Amino acid sequence: MSATEMNGKELSKKIRTELAGEVLQLKQNGVTPHLTVIIVGDDPASQSYVRGKEKASAEVGMSSDIIALPSSTSEQDLLGQIDRLNKHDSVHGILVQLPLPDHINEQHVIESISPEKDVDGFHPVNIGKMMTGNSTFLPCTPYGIITMLKAHDVRMEGKHVVVAGRSNIVGKPVGQLLLNENATVTYCHSKTENLTDYTKEADILILAMGRANVIRGEHVKNGAVIVDVGINRLEDGTLTGDADFASTAAKASKITPVPRGVGPMTITMLLKNTIKAARGLSAVGK
Ligand code: GUN
């Protein structure tokens, strides 16, 4: 088999055009969806992600701002900023770029964001709603993955999904969302013995380990659907996923490329969540 590419850049373009229409409508009702992104420190990768979010917001007609704080910022100061934004009526979505410097407790920060403005879907209230299958903000990367699978008519019900990676941002929630779609889910992680015994059994394989090219053609089932969330930079500067693209694409039925795969979908879902947050406010007439 030779795989069809699930191109997240193309699908994002289509969805962002629809979102631009929704933003226009909200603006006509006097509400401009607004996202505030907080970044602490000067990690170049985080800075680049944050700029991407700002650019994408502008593309669909939303407004956004970035609050850049020095790495010496205290937890108390950061919580103070979030408290101010929670109370600010024209700020609909708040995103604190992770990771944070070691002296700041990430969980304290996540829990300080008002669940109604938590467009990352990381607040325990929103995670609880997601787990019980209730409407909420879904974490952006898992939401992007499910949206992509649906757009490509991938049947999830009854299928064996293997998730490799158990981060709070990707692995854990994507497994939960697939369970909500009636898939049978197996989680693997860094302590899993004989990882490839599991990957070989996957109808749908979600790779979120951050280990360049470790899954090769002989580790996947014929006709599998592969979603590669890994973004690994090789010594020569090129980006690659957790899957060795050539050998896995030769066996899979569908596969996401890296880059232009899951990455653009994450930002698109962030825009979608922010528009949803803005709607919540407009609904109560603020
Ligand atoms: N760092 C890496 N991915 C993410 C994400 O989805 N949200 C936030 N806030 N930080 C991240």
Side-chain angles (χ1 to χ4, degrees), residues 36 47 59 64 72 76 107 126 184 190 198:
T36 296
Q47 284 175 333
E59 257 173 42
S64 70
S72 59
Q76 199 184 9
Q107 197 57 25
N126 290 326
T184 301
S190 53
Y198 298 93

Side-chain angles (χ1 to χ4, degrees), residues 228-244:
D228 195 346
V229 192
I231 303 180
N232 310 291
R233 198 172 284 281
L234 299 178
E235 274 180 13
D236 67 2
T238 53
L239 289 178
T240 184
D242 291 352
D244 171 59

Side-chain angles (χ1 to χ4, degrees), residues 119-154:
V119 287
D120 255 331
F122 293 168
H123 192 286
V125 165
N126 290 326
I127 293 172
K129 287 185 179 175
M130 176 194 68
M131 289 201 71
T132 48
N134 286 295
S135 170
T136 183
F137 297 115
L138 299 177
C140 301
T141 300
Y143 189 14
I145 292 170
I146 297 285
T147 302
M148 205 174 207
L149 292 174
K150 287 184 176 168
H152 288 272
D153 295 321
V154 174

